[in-house]
Amino acid sequence: MREILFRGKHTRTGEWVEGLLWKKKYNDNRFFISCFPDKDDNEEIYIIDPETVGQYTGRIDRNFKRIFEGDIVAGAAHWLDRMKNGVVTFRDGSFGLIWYRGDIEQFNPFTSMCNVEYEVIGNIHDNPELLKGE
């Protein structure tokens, strides 16, 4: 069974939290993440910024770090003798990487990339500069 997990930034502290994503009411614009940080059934609930929500892809990087939507991955593609960083996203029913070939957006699903080791170097919320100048 695959692990369903989400990540988001706590609205008060700005810290990243991982857990189950939910909304209290249909007309409430707040999103919550529930997690069990100490593994003894003491649930903690955090109000999170909905703009920062990302789902766990089910993959880990070379440093055993979970890969989430919105993460920036080093060396996602090779173009014009340069390695390009990519952004993890969900498109067409699959998680994969978006990268740019000049002004053209490219999407490669993870399922089309074999024997590739990924490394998360940041995310689009905390480190957008990692995509500039590419």
Side-chain angles (χ1 to χ4, degrees):
M1 175 186 276
R2 71 184 173 100
E3 185 175 19
I4 307 295
L5 188 64
F6 290 86
R7 172 182 75 182
K9 269 189 156 184
H10 189 286
T11 55
R12 190 170 34 84
T13 66
E15 296 289 320
W16 288 98
V17 291
E18 297 176 5
L20 303 174
L21 180 71
W22 56 280
K23 281 182 79 168
K24 200 181 230 180
K25 299 183 228 172
Y26 176 74
N27 60 353
D28 188 346
N29 290 329
R30 294 178 301 171
F31 283 82
F32 302 86
I33 284 187
S34 300
C35 62
F36 300 89
D38 54 11
K39 306 287 189 229
D40 65 0
D41 293 332
N42 291 329
E43 180 181 30
E44 292 190 19
I45 298 172
Y46 303 93
I47 300 173
I48 56 163
D49 178 356
E51 297 295 318
T52 65
V53 172
Q55 187 174 2
Y56 174 50
T57 64
R59 296 184 178 266
I60 57 171
D61 76 355
R62 69 176 69 191
N63 301 311
F64 303 101
K65 182 177 178 179
R66 290 180 174 137
I67 302 176
F68 285 85
E69 278 181 280
D71 279 341
I72 298 172
V73 176
H78 189 87
W79 187 65
L80 294 179
D81 296 325
R82 289 183 20 203
M83 293 303 290
K84 308 282 280 178
N85 294 340
V87 176
V88 178
T89 192
F90 187 82
R91 182 181 284 178
D92 300 327
S94 176
F95 285 107
L97 297 171
I98 290 177
W99 59 282
Y100 290 89
R101 189 175 70 188
D103 292 335
I104 301 170
E105 183 180 281
Q106 302 287 306
F107 174 75
N108 293 76
F110 285 132
T111 56
S112 72
M113 297 178 271
C114 300
N115 300 322
V116 177
E117 278 194 338
Y118 307 102
E119 183 176 10
V120 174
I121 58 172
N123 64 67
I124 59 173
H125 308 287
D126 294 337
N127 317 99
E129 71 280 358
L130 294 174
L131 294 173
K132 296 211 187 318
E134 289 238 302

